[in-house]
Amino acid sequence: MTAPSAGHADVSLAFRQAVAETASRDREMAAFYRENGFAPIWTGTDAAAQARRQALVQAISGASDHGLPVGDYDLDGLLDKARAVRSERDLGLVEVGFSKLFLRYARDVQTGMVTPSKIDPLIVREIPHRDHAELLAGVAGNDPSAFMRSLPPRTHEYLRLMRAKLDMEKSVAAGGWGPVVPVGKLEPGAQGRNVVLLRNRLIAMGYMERSLSDRYDSTMTDAIRAFQADHGLAEDGVAGPGTLGEINVSMADRLRSIMVAMERERWMNKERGDRHVLVNLTDFHAKIIDHGITTFETRSVIGKNIPDRRTPEFSDEMEYLVINPTWNVPRSIAVKEYLPMFKKNPNAASHLNLINARGQVVNRAAVNFSALNARNFPFDIKQPPSSRNALGLVKFMFPNKYNIYLHDTPSKSLFDREVRDFSHGCIRLQQPFDFAYALLALQEDDPEAFFQSRLRTGRETRVTLETPVPVHLIYRTAVTEATGKVTYRRDIYGRDARIWEAMQAAGVALRGVQG
């Protein structure tokens, strides 16, 4: 490969024109080359250009370690073009080719290869895409290899997922976890062939030590409980249909979950806040994270798995909480659920008030509900503060256009369920008071006394958080622990399956899996 000198004045006109024309469709790339005097950063003969090329080749060669479509980058085709250069114009085209390849790889490994909102409109992520000129300036710096290594997320979660992916690929190639267990029910005391199949699969998964026993004994019971804990199942030690269904999930499917989780982690490749609230929808839990450590955790209920109730994924900032809240019934619920009830019985749902445009409570007996529909329904519906309020006694607000927030609930029994998708979309908390105390602890000497004094008034009270707390509603079917162990959850809304389809369409494949 020959090239003009790196000095701005020595760049040939043909090279400049080729770079300018080819880079013109990317405004940021074009700006970089203009400001750089169209000097080459990839195609020079100097040691720095050679180091950049080597760094890019090495990075793309390892792209599949990140679950990226290495075969779709066509590095070999670009290198062939570089070897076939016959003119300064050819060289300019190759120069921009290297930059385009680098920028595509940088985007994929840094902020993800697929667009979340194109997969599901309820995956609402503000992807932290980097400026192309900034990326090119970074790789044109003194240490291109170090810059390449800085591109992927540096979170502990991403690094553990990547290690788990590499380990699991080796295991998949070696045959996975062995034969599945016939679906049915196995419980302590059972013995026979199916118990042996269950034993062997638990051993392969690392939940049991090697054994020749064909009996469902206490060791197997403990192993099943551990498996259930790692998969969000009721920890009863019985291998019922639900537990066996999860035990029989293939290693290849678990590997797909890990790779989707890595892509999701790339979408969130930015600071999340030293203190933040994390709600993993698939896990049905809400957490407060302080400097990477979970300091509070409670069970949650999420939106029901039907099209107009599923909880969206997004990030925002919690600004305040409301003690003794009024429930302002969303209009969609008012006209879809309550109006039909009022048409049948005007006195139905008597705990709710109809409010007119002047803010007055309306006497239902004076309303002709049969003449109203979703378009002309003129009232707001509100539920005053009380222990029976649908929001319970406290709600936590991070104002957003989806009208999603965290709140208490009078329906406490739902938290005992294994799968907890029952709401209209908001997040219900099992321990909302303790959650409030934890949030207020940074600004109140006695957060519990402060909260309870406002609660006892029975009046709606807004309490502003002196420091807003980032809130991240995420959806992960594969999550790591500090030890590196991966735990799994069911794809309740089917979102990860659609993400995997999009990743496959982008050229991603499982290593070690045939077909």
Side-chain angles (χ1 to χ4, degrees), residues 22 90 263 324 450:
T22 315
D90 290 346
E263 174 73 356
N324 296 314
F450 174 88

Side-chain angles (χ1 to χ4, degrees), residues 14 55 126 139 174 199 408 486:
E126 294 182 4
V139 79
R199 177 203 70 194
D408 182 16
V486 185

Side-chain angles (χ1 to χ4, degrees), residues 409-424:
T409 177
S411 304
K412 305 296 186 184
S413 63
L414 297 180
F415 294 107
D416 295 329
R417 305 285 186 91
E418 183 178 277
V419 177
R420 297 189 287 277
D421 63 320
F422 298 103
S423 81
H424 284 85

Side-chain angles (χ1 to χ4, degrees), residues 196-264:
V196 171
L197 289 172
L198 177 59
R199 177 203 70 194
N200 292 345
R201 203 153 171 95
L202 290 170
I203 291 170
M205 291 177 173
Y207 287 96
M208 288 183 66
E209 299 292 332
R210 292 200 172 276
S211 164
L212 296 177
S213 172
D214 69 346
R215 181 174 294 277
Y216 198 131
D217 55 15
S218 60
T219 300
M220 182 172 285
T221 302
D222 290 343
I224 289 292
R225 284 201 180 99
F227 178 90
Q228 290 168 332
D230 288 346
H231 293 76
L233 305 170
E235 298 171 37
D236 58 7
V238 175
T243 295
L244 286 177
E246 291 300 303
I247 285 174
N248 285 335
V249 172
S250 71
M251 184 179 284
D253 283 339
R254 295 303 189 197
L255 179 55
R256 292 182 183 96
S257 292
I258 290 172
M259 292 170 70
V260 169
M262 292 174 69
E263 174 73 356
R264 286 179 167 280

Side-chain angles (χ1 to χ4, degrees), residues 314 316-320 397-404:
F314 64 99
D316 212 305
E317 281 197 335
M318 187 178 294
E319 299 175 7
Y320 61 94
M397 301 301 294
F398 40 105
N400 57 80
K401 65 180 180 180
Y402 317 105
N403 198 27
I404 298 295

Side-chain angles (χ1 to χ4, degrees), residues 437 440-441 443-452:
Y437 304 155
L440 294 171
Q443 63 190 63
E444 300 295 336
D445 292 334
D446 191 339
E448 182 173 354
F450 174 88
F451 180 91
Q452 290 292 334

Side-chain angles (χ1 to χ4, degrees), residues 194-442:
N194 288 346
V195 173
V196 171
L197 289 172
L198 177 59
R199 177 203 70 194
N200 292 345
R201 203 153 171 95
L202 290 170
I203 291 170
M205 291 177 173
Y207 287 96
M208 288 183 66
E209 299 292 332
R210 292 200 172 276
S211 164
L212 296 177
S213 172
D214 69 346
R215 181 174 294 277
Y216 198 131
D217 55 15
S218 60
T219 300
M220 182 172 285
T221 302
D222 290 343
I224 289 292
R225 284 201 180 99
F227 178 90
Q228 290 168 332
D230 288 346
H231 293 76
L233 305 170
E235 298 171 37
D236 58 7
V238 175
T243 295
L244 286 177
E246 291 300 303
I247 285 174
N248 285 335
V249 172
S250 71
M251 184 179 284
D253 283 339
R254 295 303 189 197
L255 179 55
R256 292 182 183 96
S257 292
I258 290 172
M259 292 170 70
V260 169
M262 292 174 69
E263 174 73 356
R264 286 179 167 280
E265 193 75 3
R266 289 189 285 263
W267 296 344
M268 297 181 67
N269 190 6
K270 57 184 178 181
E271 290 298 321
R272 299 177 197 179
D274 289 339
R275 159 170 274 209
H276 61 269
V277 172
L278 187 71
V279 181
N280 185 6
L281 302 180
T282 66
D283 185 40
F284 307 110
H285 278 78
K287 301 177 180 179
I288 296 177
I289 311 290
D290 287 292
H291 301 283
I293 298 172
T294 299
T295 55
F296 180 82
E297 181 173 359
T298 183
R299 291 187 172 196
S300 67
V301 166
I302 68 169
K304 191 171 182 61
N305 185 26
I306 57 177
D308 62 345
R309 293 193 184 183
R310 297 182 186 116
T311 303
E313 303 168 46
F314 64 99
S315 297
D316 212 305
E317 281 197 335
M318 187 178 294
E319 299 175 7
Y320 61 94
L321 54 122
V322 179
I323 303 170
N324 296 314
T326 296
W327 184 36
N328 299 297
V329 180
R331 184 169 179 82
S332 60
I333 299 176
V335 298
K336 288 181 181 179
E337 299 184 23
Y338 287 114
L339 178 56
M341 293 170 57
F342 297 154
K343 286 184 176 184
K344 293 179 181 178
N345 175 11
N347 294 316
S350 58
H351 59 287
L352 301 176
N353 293 332
L354 263 62
I355 310 296
N356 64 22
R358 295 186 295 276
Q360 301 166 323
V361 177
V362 174
N363 181 358
R364 295 194 197 179
V367 178
N368 179 12
F369 287 105
S370 63
L372 300 178
N373 56 47
R375 291 187 301 276
N376 67 9
F377 187 71
F379 306 112
D380 290 330
I381 301 179
K382 296 178 182 289
Q383 184 181 15
S386 76
S387 59
R388 295 182 57 227
N389 188 286
L391 304 183
L393 294 170
V394 60
K395 66 178 181 178
F396 305 87
M397 301 301 294
F398 40 105
N400 57 80
K401 65 180 180 180
Y402 317 105
N403 198 27
I404 298 295
Y405 44 88
L406 279 59
H407 65 87
D408 182 16
T409 177
S411 304
K412 305 296 186 184
S413 63
L414 297 180
F415 294 107
D416 295 329
R417 305 285 186 91
E418 183 178 277
V419 177
R420 297 189 287 277
D421 63 320
F422 298 103
S423 81
H424 284 85
C426 286
I427 311 294
R428 304 176 189 174
L429 303 180
Q430 184 180 34
Q431 298 169 286
F433 288 9
D434 292 325
F435 186 77
Y437 304 155
L439 289 173
L440 294 171
L442 297 186

